[in-house]
Amino acid sequence: MGLGRLALTEILPAFGKSKHARPVALVSGDADKMSKVAQQYGIKASSCYSYQTYDNLKNNPEVEVIYIVLPNALHHEYTLRGARAGKHILCEKPMATSVKECEEMIAACQKAGKKLMIAYRIQYEPLNRMAQKAVREKTYGTTKLIQMMNCQNEAHDQQWRHKKALAGGGSLPDVGLYCLNTTRFLLGEEPTEVSAQIYSTPGDDRFKEIEENVSFTLRFPSGVISQCISGYGTFNAKSYAVHAETGTIKMDPAFSYNGLAQEREHAPGGKQTTEKPSNPGKDQFALEMDHMAECVRQNKTPYTPAKKAFRTSALWKLSISRPKKTGP
Ligand code: NAD
């Protein structure tokens, strides 16, 4: 659902690498575009829906899961309607733009007896999972400090991303969310303290309604401190470093669609060593969709269920108590 940039350039092509999922219907507000995409992917014209006819999906037994790839503020409405149509939902991040919406999405899917998974692709990506294993198994002793950043120079034509009503916020819920979620994923803990600073460049039209840069610090029950930054006005920087007692795990890039790389620095026998595990090069979207398909087939709870994502929304809302005026 939603034939924008992510759906056309990443998700639809990823079906080609998926073992358990295939596209059988489309939903879009642009009938011409949808017709071309349907032809390209072999989807029947009778399985193409508009936002108005979306609810008719209930009569299409071929559709088991709806993957919602719309602007953030629309995730809520189309999850509720999708659940009422009797379908499982895979929803893009961020889950919604308010905690109340998240609660209603969870309740609607529970009521319908359907699964609700949030598309945190990084948690299905092999190198990130290897990093998680090393942290959880204390391969380099106890983790003490984490640094994460996810920054990009957001294009001026990304209209809805600059509107608070459609995006919910700026760099934090869009890209900073990766820092928040990946820290929780690595540690398996929930933060007990959050503090944040926000700055938006005065006079930049992109940041009239939403924040540009956020620096936030999370403290966890084990004592780990994670320092995170998200930015909407700088060159790409998408990396992290996990600092443990006897080693450091670095991912750079950590959050891109492909080309992820890991380096581990430690000193076995006193000799400074750098190891670079090879990247299995799997498509993150295919892995994520296959996981959802397996959860449906085997009636399992997804690894990234709505309940975990709900915590994320609560946390980013908490850390974004925004001053009235931005700028110096
Ligand atoms: P996009 O702007 O390229 O596409 C959005 C689509 O929604 C377009 O087809 C547009 O026509 C449609 N739409 C319907 N109602 C709209 C409205 N009122 N205003 C604007 N567009 C409307 O956006 P995108 O980059 O594809 O992002 C879509 C979703 O995917 C967002 O929730 C975003 O956070 C998420 N996303 C996730 C990742 C990831 O790596 N998981 C990457 C990019 C985007």
Side-chain angles (χ1 to χ4, degrees):
M1 167 159 219
L3 296 178
R5 195 170 46 171
L6 184 70
L8 294 179
T9 61
E10 300 295 331
I11 295 173
L12 281 162
F15 278 106
K17 293 173 195 146
S18 163
K19 292 190 201 126
H20 307 295
R22 66 191 173 97
V24 290
L26 298 172
V27 186
S28 171
D30 182 334
D32 289 342
K33 177 163 59 172
M34 182 158 54
S35 164
K36 286 189 193 119
V37 176
Q39 279 175 26
Q40 193 184 344
Y41 287 92
I43 294 168
K44 291 179 277 194
S46 59
S47 291
C48 291
Y49 301 83
S50 66
Y51 297 121
Q52 290 72 33
T53 62
Y54 173 66
D55 309 273
N56 295 342
L57 273 168
K58 66 174 180 294
N59 302 319
N60 189 337
E62 266 197 311
V63 175
E64 292 176 89
V65 179
I66 302 171
Y67 192 163
I68 298 178
V69 200
L70 293 173
N72 307 341
L74 305 180
H75 295 177
H76 169 255
E77 174 185 344
Y78 290 97
T79 295
L80 265 54
R81 286 170 61 184
R84 277 201 295 272
K87 307 298 176 186
H88 301 284
I89 307 286
L90 173 55
C91 179
E92 259 310 326
K93 45 58 60 177
M95 181 173 169
T97 58
S98 76
V99 169
K100 183 169 173 283
E101 285 180 353
C102 293
E103 286 172 330
E104 289 171 359
M105 290 161 73
I106 293 171
C109 290
Q110 256 170 4
K111 189 173 167 209
K114 296 293 156 187
K115 297 182 193 303
L116 174 53
M117 168 170 152
I118 308 303
Y120 295 141
R121 59 183 166 81
I122 290 304
Q123 300 192 25
Y124 301 94
E125 190 282 320
L127 281 180
N128 278 284
R129 289 187 87 114
M130 282 163 59
Q132 182 202 45
K133 189 165 184 285
V135 169
R136 301 277 183 103
E137 291 179 356
K138 297 189 190 298
T139 306
Y140 305 112
T142 302
T143 295
K144 303 274 184 167
L145 294 163
I146 297 177
Q147 290 166 298
M148 294 215 181
M149 62 182 73
N150 199 355
C151 305
Q152 60 197 40
N153 205 337
E154 198 53 47
H156 284 261
D157 63 0
Q158 286 288 301
Q159 297 299 342
W160 70 261
R161 281 190 164 81
H162 306 143
K163 301 273 179 239
K164 183 145 170 86
L166 280 169
S171 71
L172 179 57
D174 188 13
V175 292
L177 172 150
Y178 286 82
C179 304
L180 171 55
N181 267 344
T182 308
T183 304
R184 293 165 63 221
F185 159 76
L186 291 173
L187 297 174
E189 291 182 63
E190 295 297 344
T192 48
E193 281 178 38
V194 183
S195 61
Q197 276 192 328
I198 297 176
Y199 185 82
S200 301
T201 306
D204 190 323
D205 281 351
R206 293 173 296 177
F207 311 122
K208 278 187 175 153
E209 295 184 22
I210 50 110
E211 81 284 354
E212 179 182 1
N213 301 318
V214 185
S215 153
F216 58 102
T217 305
L218 310 165
R219 194 171 68 79
F220 290 83
S222 63
V224 174
I225 293 172
S226 179
Q227 249 185 4
C228 307
I229 55 174
S230 72
Y232 250 5
T234 70
F235 189 66
N236 282 352
K238 297 174 176 291
S239 65
Y240 66 75
V242 178
H243 303 278
E245 287 169 304
T246 62
T248 304
I249 302 170
K250 294 180 183 170
M251 285 285 300
D252 189 7
F255 308 124
S256 311
Y257 298 141
N258 41 51
L260 304 195
Q262 190 180 110
E263 259 189 34
R264 296 174 175 211
E265 284 168 6
H266 61 135
K271 189 171 174 292
Q272 185 78 21
T273 308
T274 302
E275 286 164 15
K276 296 183 183 181
S278 65
N279 184 341
K282 301 272 189 198
D283 186 299
Q284 298 167 37
F285 294 93
L287 292 173
E288 164 195 285
M289 292 191 292
D290 278 341
H291 178 72
M292 179 74 185
E294 283 181 322
C295 287
V296 169
R297 283 281 171 272
Q298 297 164 20
N299 194 23
K300 287 195 304 206
T301 302
Y303 187 71
T304 51
K307 279 188 181 160
K308 270 194 204 166
F310 165 78
R311 291 278 303 164
T312 309
S313 298
L315 283 163
W316 68 254
K317 281 290 170 191
L318 190 73
S319 58
I320 202 163
S321 55
R322 183 179 161 76
K324 281 211 173 69
K325 282 190 179 170
T326 53

